[in-house]
Amino acid sequence: MKIVAYGTLMSNYGNNRLLRDCSFIERIIIPGIQLYYSGGEGSFPVARITGDPLDKIEGEVWDISGHPEVLPRLDGLEGVPFMYTREEI
């Protein structure tokens, strides 16, 4: 399975440690998604699908195949399904 990491999950950010045993594939630009910050103290990045080609985010593709512990770790960090939902793109 491949995932797109954005925000603090990207290389050189603190939460990238959750992907330490996985394979980095490439950096990508994804159109139709807007990145904004939740606001206030403890603000964190949030991606929202807009469909507008002018909206875009930079991310990294990671292969988490063979690492069944990674997806639950990511879901725990992201608060799935209460704060975030996974979307196939």
Side-chain angles (χ1 to χ4, degrees):
M1 169 187 263
K2 294 179 183 140
I3 59 105
V4 173
Y6 68 93
T8 63
L9 282 169
M10 290 175 63
S11 300
N12 300 318
Y13 290 91
N15 288 320
N16 184 258
R17 71 186 183 286
L18 299 176
L19 299 169
R20 69 180 169 265
D21 297 324
C22 301
S23 299
F24 172 81
I25 298 175
E26 66 181 332
R27 285 184 165 270
I28 59 170
I29 301 290
I30 306 169
I33 299 178
Q34 178 184 54
L35 186 65
Y36 67 97
Y37 287 82
S38 62
E41 190 173 329
S43 182
F44 52 89
V46 177
R48 175 176 39 208
I49 297 172
T50 65
D52 184 337
L54 296 178
D55 290 332
K56 55 187 170 255
I57 65 168
E58 182 178 343
E60 297 176 343
V61 179
W62 288 80
D63 186 349
I64 64 171
S65 301
H67 301 282
E69 73 286 356
V70 171
L71 193 56
R73 276 193 229 152
L74 296 175
D75 284 350
L77 174 70
E78 302 296 355
V80 171
F82 304 106
M83 293 181 65
Y84 285 91
T85 56
R86 272 189 254 125
E87 298 286 335
E88 188 171 332
I89 58 170

